[in-house]
Amino acid sequence: MNYEKILSEIAAEIEPLRTVGKQADYIPALAKVNPDRFGMCLATVGGDVYEWGDVTERFSIQSVTKVFSLSMALSYMGEELWRRVGKEPSGSAFNSLIQLELDRGIPRNPFINAGAIVVADVLMSVLDNPEADYLAFVREICGDDTVDYDREVASSEREKGYVNAAIANMLKYYGNLENDIEEVLRFYFLQCSVEMDCRQLAHAFLPFADRDRAFLFGDVRLTYSQVKRVNAIMQTCGFYNDAGEYSYLVGLPDKSGVGGGIGAVYPGRYAVATWCPRLNSKGNSVMGMKALELLTTYTHESIF
Ligand code: GLN
């Protein structure tokens, strides 16, 4: 497969979308990001890397981080985790409060905010040093120990994080948060603030595509079957209320974030990351979605 050629064809074809959508401005620090960026990196399980555009500029991975926090929690808790959070697509916005009330404090899945806040709480209860341990895992999985939190983004999000604070309060009300609300929120926002570039993100997703190497990073170990399940949840829940549309168009397990990043896997073959800060109304990167749609169309490589 000539991925290099395909990536440059994709880049040319998505060019008309350059000005479509806008960056997340409900997090003040993200509103300042230059929206006119696009990068794409595809890393194969065999070790080849193909890139296009702004692949070495770091961005806030935001909800893409939820794949790493879920992996960590699943490694420590196993199936017990599902007593605290569901694994059904939500069909509603990533920060829906109404749904959480109807579900009496059990979030639909770990990729909406409510679910990720519960996962952050779980990690706070099991890790000795949640902040340091989480970062150590993220660095291990992408194989780069320069990856870090962006504390300015995290505190900027806390400042305006009214809905997430409401979600955390409701979780506490229903008995689904063990730790202090403010501390859980602080940890959740820090996780979201992790910065990576496309190259690092593609490598961080590679273990979810690689069927031959054990998923083992420090203490964090997932069985083949658990990796399969994380991928399944990415497929059904990774794009919130865009998940059906996204599956229809692309057909790869992936996770998006409001920083404009997307991490995707083609199981057995490669991981791919895209970044463009311009989002659609559901908080997903416009150019990134189109680029991945074209990738599976041109390569005929999709899980369907
Ligand atoms: N930190 C963001 C929030 O909680 C993450 C949302 C996202 O990337 N979809 O709102």
Side-chain angles (χ1 to χ4, degrees), residues 104 202 290 293:
R104 306 189 69 77
K290 188 67 189 175
E293 178 192 344

Side-chain angles (χ1 to χ4, degrees), residues 23-200:
Q23 67 271 57
D25 50 11
Y26 75 97
I27 301 175
L30 294 187
K32 293 191 282 188
V33 172
N34 182 347
D36 299 322
R37 290 281 185 264
F38 175 75
M40 185 166 188
C41 175
L42 186 152
T44 70
V45 295
D48 297 318
V49 177
Y50 304 89
E51 303 180 325
W52 181 270
D54 303 305
V55 289
T56 55
E57 189 172 330
R58 295 187 188 199
F59 54 89
S60 191
I61 66 169
Q62 292 297 317
S63 284
V64 182
T65 214
K66 294 169 183 172
V67 175
F68 309 131
S69 53
L70 170 64
S71 302
M72 225 180 169
L74 208 51
S75 159
Y76 293 122
M77 303 288 290
E79 293 294 297
E80 273 286 291
L81 180 66
W82 306 120
R83 293 157 63 106
R84 306 262 317 262
V85 58
K87 39 182 141 51
E88 291 298 332
S90 67
S92 52
F94 61 82
N95 56 0
S96 173
L97 193 57
I98 298 173
Q99 190 172 60
L100 186 63
E101 182 168 26
L102 293 174
D103 293 343
R104 306 189 69 77
I106 302 294
R108 283 286 165 96
N109 66 65
F111 289 163
I112 53 171
N113 290 9
I117 291 171
V118 168
V119 170
D121 181 61
V122 166
L123 292 178
M124 281 185 73
S125 298
V126 298
L127 298 174
D128 293 336
N129 300 296
E131 216 180 276
D133 295 347
Y134 186 72
L135 187 60
F137 168 58
V138 169
R139 286 176 170 174
E140 283 254 358
I141 199 170
C142 68
D144 188 329
D145 57 12
T146 65
V147 164
D148 214 336
Y149 298 123
D150 181 334
R151 290 173 192 277
E152 191 196 323
V153 168
S155 60
S156 151
E157 184 167 11
R158 176 63 196 103
E159 222 170 276
K160 303 273 178 181
Y162 311 119
V163 178
N164 285 319
I167 289 172
N169 276 275
M170 193 176 290
L171 289 166
K172 191 78 172 172
Y173 172 78
Y174 281 109
N176 202 6
L177 273 199
E178 288 173 358
N179 297 282
D180 174 72
I181 294 174
E182 200 50 49
E183 283 177 29
V184 177
L185 282 172
R186 188 172 170 280
F187 184 38
Y188 166 73
F189 291 135
L190 262 184
Q191 290 174 10
C192 292
S193 81
V194 166
E195 275 197 314
M196 283 187 195
D197 61 31
C198 282
R199 202 180 276 171
Q200 291 158 336

